[in-house]
Amino acid sequence: MSAAAPFPYRNIATINDPNEVRAVLKTLTEIPEYFDIGDGEQGLLLKPDPASKDLANREYKISIGPLEIVLDFDPSNWSVSVSVRFKVPFDGTVTLANIVGNLKEGISLKIGYPPILGGIVGLKLNGTAVVFSWDFTVLGKQYKGEKVLFNI
């Protein structure tokens, strides 16, 4: 007969999958940054910790209103992948677009979820600054702006 683990260890699960371990460690190496998106609202940027040099690709997560954007940048070849998700009210999250491109050429994505959402998001290189831009409308409310994500 095995004894139950004492409190507070009773509800702790063992992680055996290496991918789960990497996912937990990755969240510990992200730095949150809040930024103004207008009308008193804030966006959230989760960027990699500059001290974590062992990661070849750099992942950035951006939340603006009901949009979630995941950007993965590979500095070795300037490739970038962008995934745009929309948090649909009362329904859940829907992937609107996935694209892979080159940062030197820039990326522009037309997004939509008629009749609720429509607009454009983009990524470009402005000198040494990598700039994310957005211009979309959700249920009549417009979100427009840009944010420097990092410098190269």
Side-chain angles (χ1 to χ4, degrees), residues 22-64:
R22 283 189 204 101
V24 169
L25 291 175
K26 192 172 195 177
T27 60
L28 295 175
T29 61
E30 293 176 332
I31 298 173
E33 177 186 329
Y34 294 92
F35 59 96
D36 184 36
I37 59 172
D39 294 335
E41 291 188 61
Q42 288 190 322
L44 172 64
L45 169 63
L46 291 176
K47 54 188 177 179
D49 184 351
S52 62
K53 303 210 184 291
D54 60 332
L55 300 173
N57 290 8
R58 298 307 214 167
E59 184 178 85
Y60 296 80
K61 297 175 187 169
I62 308 153
S63 291
I64 300 169

